Amino acid sequence: MLAYSFTVTWVIAKVVDLTLGLRLSREVETEGVDIRVHGEQAYDLDGHVHAPAADLATREHEVVASAEAALATDGPAPARD
């Protein structure tokens, strides 16, 4: 059964490689798929905080503070059906 699975997987991979290709060009791989294909940097190796992540963290703190304030004054929200 293992040999059958390997063979079928290999045949499928070979067909995909010959028709669509399994790899990107060397230039895209060198520059980085995240930048060339997606237009953004996946990992910040310089240690900078990007604005979207900083804004998200600020918004998260605002939401938590608002929820805590609501619970402190009103008590828990009624259950919804």
Side-chain angles (χ1 to χ4, degrees), residues 34 40-46 50:
D34 51 344
E40 60 187 9
Q41 188 171 352
Y43 299 101
D44 184 12
L45 301 176
D46 298 327
H50 297 288

Side-chain angles (χ1 to χ4, degrees), residues 2-80:
L2 183 62
Y4 171 78
S5 298
F6 174 80
T7 304
V8 170
T9 302
W10 185 85
V11 168
I12 291 171
K14 197 64 172 168
V15 169
V16 170
D17 187 32
L18 292 173
T19 57
L20 302 173
L22 291 177
R23 296 192 67 159
L24 297 170
S25 68
R26 183 169 295 282
E27 295 82 26
V28 172
E29 286 183 353
T30 302
E31 185 177 345
V33 176
D34 51 344
I35 294 172
R36 287 286 296 267
V37 175
H38 304 291
E40 60 187 9
Q41 188 171 352
Y43 299 101
D44 184 12
L45 301 176
D46 298 327
H48 301 290
V49 175
H50 297 288
D55 292 343
L56 183 60
T58 301
R59 179 70 182 135
E60 180 182 3
H61 289 295
E62 291 171 358
V63 169
V64 169
S66 173
E68 288 173 345
L71 286 174
T73 57
D74 301 333
R80 294 185 183 178

